[in-house]
Amino acid sequence: MSITYNKKLGLEIQNHLIAKGLESFRKVPHNKSEQLDIISNAYSDILKTLGLTTSEFDKTPYRVARMFTQEIFYGLDYENFPDCSLFENDFHYEGVLTQKNINIMSFCEHHFVPFEGVAEISFIPKDNKIIGLSKLNQICDFFSRRPQIQERLTAQIFETLKFLLKTEDISINIKAKHTCVSFRGLNDKDSITETKMTGGALSQ
Ligand SMILES: [Zn+2]
């Protein structure tokens, strides 16, 4: 899937979320190659400290550094925000639009292990403007791809959609399984965390 980014829109969204108290992250403090070096070295220390010094682990620090900086945490950088221009609602649809089963793959910022689940988003189009459906998935993916907590993830997507769609008539629900609960701690394989935010005509 090829995604078009919109740096200008990304920075507008970041400023909006900062103003709403929903963003504390500001800026990546190093360029990409410095990040790769620093993380590789630090991860190599972690492996050595665990006694993992055999050749199978030679490339692991670099792989982890590349994964953090170029893949699973790309959503820290608002320059990677998807281009979400709205377009005319030619069919003048005034009902509720719901996008279900949006896959969420994120990373618990407390334990640095993944959580994954599905999001459901509903909204009522305003001023005859609609958003490309796949953009909803891309927005969810953007905010998921960083060290995150589910509550903030839900609030950031909710606030971003209000900002983009210029309406309060939005609801979002996320159900996710956290490996920090299933794979450690309580080791509870079945529990699911649900978060929900609703507004305007979709308030519950
Ligand atoms: Zn956790």
PDB file of all heavy atoms in Angstrom, residues 108-111 113 178 180 184, ligand 1:
ATOM      1  N   CYS A 108       2.880  -0.824  23.813  1.00  0.00           N
ATOM      2  CA  CYS A 108       2.654  -0.278  25.157  1.00  0.00           C
ATOM      3  C   CYS A 108       3.872   0.513  25.621  1.00  0.00           C
ATOM      4  O   CYS A 108       4.978  -0.021  25.692  1.00  0.00           O
ATOM      5  CB  CYS A 108       2.377  -1.436  26.116  1.00  0.00           C
ATOM      6  SG  CYS A 108       2.541  -0.991  27.841  1.00  0.00           S
ATOM      7  N   GLU A 109       3.654   1.783  25.965  1.00  0.00           N
ATOM      8  CA  GLU A 109       4.797   2.612  26.346  1.00  0.00           C
ATOM      9  C   GLU A 109       5.288   2.308  27.760  1.00  0.00           C
ATOM     10  O   GLU A 109       6.371   2.722  28.142  1.00  0.00           O
ATOM     11  CB  GLU A 109       4.448   4.101  26.219  1.00  0.00           C
ATOM     12  CG  GLU A 109       3.459   4.612  27.239  1.00  0.00           C
ATOM     13  CD  GLU A 109       3.103   6.079  26.999  1.00  0.00           C
ATOM     14  OE1 GLU A 109       3.288   6.563  25.883  1.00  0.00           O
ATOM     15  OE2 GLU A 109       2.612   6.708  27.956  1.00  0.00           O
ATOM     16  N   HIS A 110       4.481   1.599  28.541  1.00  0.00           N
ATOM     17  CA  HIS A 110       4.926   1.253  29.899  1.00  0.00           C
ATOM     18  C   HIS A 110       5.859   0.051  29.897  1.00  0.00           C
ATOM     19  O   HIS A 110       6.738  -0.054  30.739  1.00  0.00           O
ATOM     20  CB  HIS A 110       3.723   0.930  30.792  1.00  0.00           C
ATOM     21  CG  HIS A 110       2.788   2.085  30.963  1.00  0.00           C
ATOM     22  ND1 HIS A 110       1.424   1.946  31.065  1.00  0.00           N
ATOM     23  CD2 HIS A 110       3.039   3.410  31.033  1.00  0.00           C
ATOM     24  CE1 HIS A 110       0.868   3.138  31.201  1.00  0.00           C
ATOM     25  NE2 HIS A 110       1.826   4.045  31.178  1.00  0.00           N
ATOM     26  N   HIS A 111       5.628  -0.886  28.978  1.00  0.00           N
ATOM     27  CA  HIS A 111       6.385  -2.147  29.010  1.00  0.00           C
ATOM     28  C   HIS A 111       7.162  -2.444  27.739  1.00  0.00           C
ATOM     29  O   HIS A 111       7.890  -3.410  27.667  1.00  0.00           O
ATOM     30  CB  HIS A 111       5.428  -3.313  29.289  1.00  0.00           C
ATOM     31  CG  HIS A 111       4.703  -3.197  30.586  1.00  0.00           C
ATOM     32  ND1 HIS A 111       3.445  -2.632  30.689  1.00  0.00           N
ATOM     33  CD2 HIS A 111       5.085  -3.526  31.844  1.00  0.00           C
ATOM     34  CE1 HIS A 111       3.073  -2.639  31.958  1.00  0.00           C
ATOM     35  NE2 HIS A 111       4.045  -3.171  32.678  1.00  0.00           N
ATOM     36  N   VAL A 113       6.066  -3.630  24.884  1.00  0.00           N
ATOM     37  CA  VAL A 113       5.600  -4.842  24.202  1.00  0.00           C
ATOM     38  C   VAL A 113       4.332  -4.448  23.429  1.00  0.00           C
ATOM     39  O   VAL A 113       3.697  -3.441  23.746  1.00  0.00           O
ATOM     40  CB  VAL A 113       5.298  -6.000  25.184  1.00  0.00           C
ATOM     41  CG1 VAL A 113       6.585  -6.570  25.769  1.00  0.00           C
ATOM     42  CG2 VAL A 113       4.336  -5.570  26.278  1.00  0.00           C
ATOM     43  N   HIS A 178      -3.619  -6.614  25.224  1.00  0.00           N
ATOM     44  CA  HIS A 178      -2.301  -6.081  25.590  1.00  0.00           C
ATOM     45  C   HIS A 178      -1.380  -7.214  26.015  1.00  0.00           C
ATOM     46  O   HIS A 178      -1.691  -7.935  26.960  1.00  0.00           O
ATOM     47  CB  HIS A 178      -2.454  -5.079  26.737  1.00  0.00           C
ATOM     48  CG  HIS A 178      -3.143  -3.810  26.317  1.00  0.00           C
ATOM     49  ND1 HIS A 178      -2.496  -2.604  26.243  1.00  0.00           N
ATOM     50  CD2 HIS A 178      -4.416  -3.580  25.916  1.00  0.00           C
ATOM     51  CE1 HIS A 178      -3.343  -1.672  25.822  1.00  0.00           C
ATOM     52  NE2 HIS A 178      -4.515  -2.241  25.626  1.00  0.00           N
ATOM     53  N   CYS A 180       1.276  -6.891  27.530  1.00  0.00           N
ATOM     54  CA  CYS A 180       1.806  -6.643  28.883  1.00  0.00           C
ATOM     55  C   CYS A 180       0.886  -7.260  29.936  1.00  0.00           C
ATOM     56  O   CYS A 180       1.291  -7.413  31.089  1.00  0.00           O
ATOM     57  CB  CYS A 180       2.011  -5.151  29.146  1.00  0.00           C
ATOM     58  SG  CYS A 180       0.523  -4.163  29.058  1.00  0.00           S
ATOM     59  N   ARG A 184       2.967 -11.340  30.419  1.00  0.00           N
ATOM     60  CA  ARG A 184       3.750 -11.081  31.629  1.00  0.00           C
ATOM     61  C   ARG A 184       2.742 -10.686  32.718  1.00  0.00           C
ATOM     62  O   ARG A 184       1.552 -10.757  32.475  1.00  0.00           O
ATOM     63  CB  ARG A 184       4.781  -9.965  31.405  1.00  0.00           C
ATOM     64  CG  ARG A 184       4.171  -8.670  30.908  1.00  0.00           C
ATOM     65  CD  ARG A 184       5.050  -7.474  31.105  1.00  0.00           C
ATOM     66  NE  ARG A 184       5.224  -7.158  32.525  1.00  0.00           N
ATOM     67  CZ  ARG A 184       4.275  -6.623  33.307  1.00  0.00           C
ATOM     68  NH1 ARG A 184       3.066  -6.329  32.823  1.00  0.00           N
ATOM     69  NH2 ARG A 184       4.497  -6.372  34.580  1.00  0.00           N
TER      70      ARG A 184
HETATM   71 ZN    ZN B   1       1.720  -2.251  29.328  1.00  0.00          ZN
END
